[in-house]
């Protein structure tokens, strides 16, 4: 059985929140992963390691945020 979600009728706020929660959760988890990775390398690594993790984390966030943004317009 296929469920259709129609954003043009009914309570739009509830539907938008239900749509946003998994996406927002994914983005928060990705940001937390980068922060924890940076903290661990900061404790045990060198300044070159901190710089590498910071740059790598920014690149990974760019890819994740871009894919997430593009996938919001696709139909499941």
């Amino acid at each position: 059985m296929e469920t259709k979600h129609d954003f043009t009728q009914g309570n739009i706020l509830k539907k938008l929140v239900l749509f946003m929660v998994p996406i927002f959760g994914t983005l928060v988890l990705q940001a937390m992963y980068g922060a924890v990775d940076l903290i661990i390398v900061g404790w045990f690594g060198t300044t070159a390691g901190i710089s590498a993790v910071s740059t790598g984390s920014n690149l990974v966030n760019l890819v994740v945020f871009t894919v997430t943004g593009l996938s919001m317009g696709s139909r499941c």
Side-chain angles (χ1 to χ4, degrees), residues 5-45:
H5 297 285
D6 188 5
F7 282 94
T8 62
Q9 298 175 355
N11 186 1
I12 189 70
L13 183 61
K14 179 181 177 185
K15 291 177 184 178
L16 283 176
V17 168
L18 289 175
F19 180 76
M20 177 208 58
V21 167
I23 296 168
F24 184 71
T26 302
L27 297 177
V28 167
L29 286 175
Q30 181 64 37
M32 286 176 27
Y33 175 81
V36 169
D37 197 18
L38 192 59
I39 290 170
I40 297 299
V41 172
W43 281 341
F44 301 109

